[in-house]
Amino acid sequence: MKVLVTGGAGFIGSHTCVELLENGHEVIIFDNFYNSSPDVIERIEKITGKSVKLVEGDMCDAETVDKLFKDNEFECIIHFAGLKAVGESVAKPVFYYDTNIGGTLNIIKAMQKYDVKKLVFSSSATVYGMNNVAPYNETMPTSATNPYGWTKLMIEQILTDTAKAQGDWHIALLRYFNPIGAHSSGLIGEKPNGIPNNLMPYITQVAAGKLECLNVFGDDYDTHDGTGVRDYIHVCDLAIGHMKALNHIDEIDGARQFNLGTGVGYSVLDIVKAFEKANDITINYKIAPRRPGDIATCFADTKRAYDELGFKTERSLEDMCQSSWNFVKNLYK
Ligand code: UFG
């Protein structure tokens, strides 16, 4: 299949491109490198031994997007491009709505104009909001607590309405839980950009000596050790989830949501201990106040993704911890 991957140089995008290429698909990456770098393209090519076409550009520029579709006959779009920092979205909501929603509308309009009917969208478990009880399943009510989350929810709605109106579109809305880990080659992974907000990038920065101490946000949650519980999924498993969605895309009528997680929750302290054990490193940490907006427990009900897409994660927490560190430590050699 000829597949357009928007945001293909990013963390999840790059791992998905590797998976697509290894499965014989033709990949065109569209990226503006706002939060990624062009050398990722060479690294994807090095891992797979295959070439990737790159179109550098911004999805918010309607003319650029139109030309991209005009010049290529895409069969399917995998749409990762977007802004993703929760805190920044609270400070700059217009920037987030403009970019994530405006950019997606340009992609949708081009799909209509050039008759592309298949799309896989990067959504997030953040759409389950604060009021559901884990395990989260796709039929639960959704809500958001910050502009980033609202953009994911609004885009899900826009795609659902569009697919309904079009009649013959096939859209997979993939709700990611907490992606960590990196490719086994150590060539691609999650690149730290400033002080990380997320747990694993913070831990690897402490391990690298770039940050002094991990703040564990709260130890008085109603969980087995009091720290927050999340469903961490290896990014290479997540990439396979996209492959599975693509393989089954014709069976999806309209737009349908799928959780991509392991179904297992680990606490912050479980992750710290697993990281220390897997890499034989001590991580400095201290207990800090709760982070506003955090919930106690979040993990997936994985049944729908398994039943309808045949998706099941395979990689262990040890692998997630080892590969995360293997990638980051290479950055500082
Ligand atoms: N945590 C810490 N210290 C840190 C960072 C995180 O203790 O320095 C804790 C959090 O309190 C939470 C857990 O580690 O209990 C995971 O936090 P992350 O920031 O890594 O991930 P979140 O679950 O908060 O959010 C992530 C993505 C969002 C996405 C959401 C979906 O960042 O984009 O998962 O559930 F929407």
Side-chain angles (χ1 to χ4, degrees):
M1 239 190 249
K2 188 168 181 176
V3 186
L4 167 65
V5 184
T6 76
F11 173 43
I12 305 171
S14 57
H15 289 81
T16 302
C17 287
V18 167
E19 191 61 29
L20 289 167
L21 290 161
E22 284 176 346
N23 281 277
H25 295 286
E26 189 184 342
V27 172
I28 293 97
I29 293 180
F30 180 57
D31 208 302
N32 66 354
F33 301 117
Y34 176 79
N35 195 19
S36 58
S37 58
D39 67 304
V40 170
I41 311 296
E42 289 157 35
R43 289 161 179 251
I44 292 170
E45 290 179 334
K46 194 170 172 194
I47 291 169
T48 59
K50 299 197 172 142
S51 68
V52 180
K53 185 173 162 190
L54 166 71
V55 177
E56 188 172 348
D58 191 331
M59 66 172 173
C60 294
D61 180 355
E63 271 176 38
T64 304
V65 173
D66 188 277
K67 186 171 182 320
L68 173 70
F69 277 73
K70 194 178 189 174
D71 293 347
N72 295 279
E73 274 186 27
F74 299 122
E75 204 174 321
C76 181
I77 320 297
I78 305 187
H79 179 34
F80 292 103
L83 301 169
K84 59 171 189 177
V86 172
E88 187 186 44
S89 80
V90 176
K92 300 178 184 171
V94 177
F95 181 42
Y96 269 67
Y97 288 118
D98 223 10
T99 307
N100 290 4
I101 295 179
T104 303
L105 286 171
N106 285 336
I107 305 277
I108 294 173
K109 286 177 200 168
M111 286 175 67
Q112 288 178 316
K113 184 166 167 189
Y114 296 97
D115 204 25
V116 184
K117 301 169 195 281
K118 300 171 191 178
L119 180 124
V120 177
F121 174 62
S122 258
S123 189
S124 165
T126 196
V127 303
Y128 290 111
M130 302 195 70
N131 299 321
N132 291 305
V133 176
Y136 296 156
N137 73 61
E138 294 85 345
T139 64
M140 285 178 166
T142 50
S143 66
T145 53
N146 57 69
Y148 159 76
W150 280 115
T151 67
K152 292 294 175 193
L153 208 43
M154 287 176 185
I155 294 169
E156 283 200 6
Q157 188 66 46
I158 292 167
L159 289 169
T160 302
D161 292 342
T162 308
K164 202 170 176 186
Q166 293 287 146
D168 58 350
W169 280 24
H170 309 275
I171 298 179
L173 307 169
L174 304 184
R175 294 177 172 170
Y176 311 149
F177 282 69
N178 291 55
I180 58 171
H183 191 265
S184 56
S185 63
L187 289 172
I188 55 172
E190 187 169 19
K191 274 219 169 145
N193 189 5
I195 296 181
N197 296 307
N198 299 119
L199 181 62
M200 187 53 85
Y202 206 105
I203 290 177
T204 52
Q205 290 291 288
V206 173
K210 302 284 162 192
L211 293 169
E212 217 167 281
C213 178
L214 169 73
N215 289 304
V216 175
F217 297 140
D219 68 347
D220 56 354
Y221 286 107
D222 184 15
T223 62
H224 63 273
D225 61 15
T227 67
V229 166
R230 296 290 182 275
D231 184 336
Y232 296 91
I233 175 170
H234 197 301
V235 67
C236 294
D237 277 335
L238 196 57
I240 291 171
H242 291 75
M243 233 4 275
K244 299 275 185 190
L246 203 63
N247 291 342
H248 290 268
I249 197 87
D250 288 333
E251 296 152 31
I252 300 170
D253 283 331
R256 190 151 172 83
Q257 310 85 350
F258 297 95
N259 287 339
L260 295 186
T262 63
V264 177
Y266 289 106
S267 74
V268 177
L269 292 180
D270 289 337
I271 298 295
V272 171
K273 282 177 208 145
F275 187 92
E276 291 183 326
K277 186 162 178 244
N279 297 305
D280 199 16
I281 293 177
T282 303
I283 298 297
N284 246 336
Y285 71 85
K286 65 172 192 289
I287 305 299
R290 288 184 178 195
R291 183 171 66 177
D294 273 355
I295 49 172
T297 302
C298 167
F299 60 93
D301 179 329
T302 58
K303 190 174 183 311
R304 184 185 285 183
Y306 181 68
D307 287 351
E308 298 180 23
L309 306 177
F311 174 65
K312 197 171 179 295
T313 58
E314 281 170 6
R315 291 164 177 81
S316 64
L317 181 58
E318 185 186 17
D319 184 347
M320 298 186 218
C321 292
Q322 271 172 354
S323 60
S324 292
W325 177 230
N326 184 39
F327 174 71
V328 174
K329 81 176 177 213
N330 280 337
L331 298 175
Y332 301 110
K333 262 186 187 162

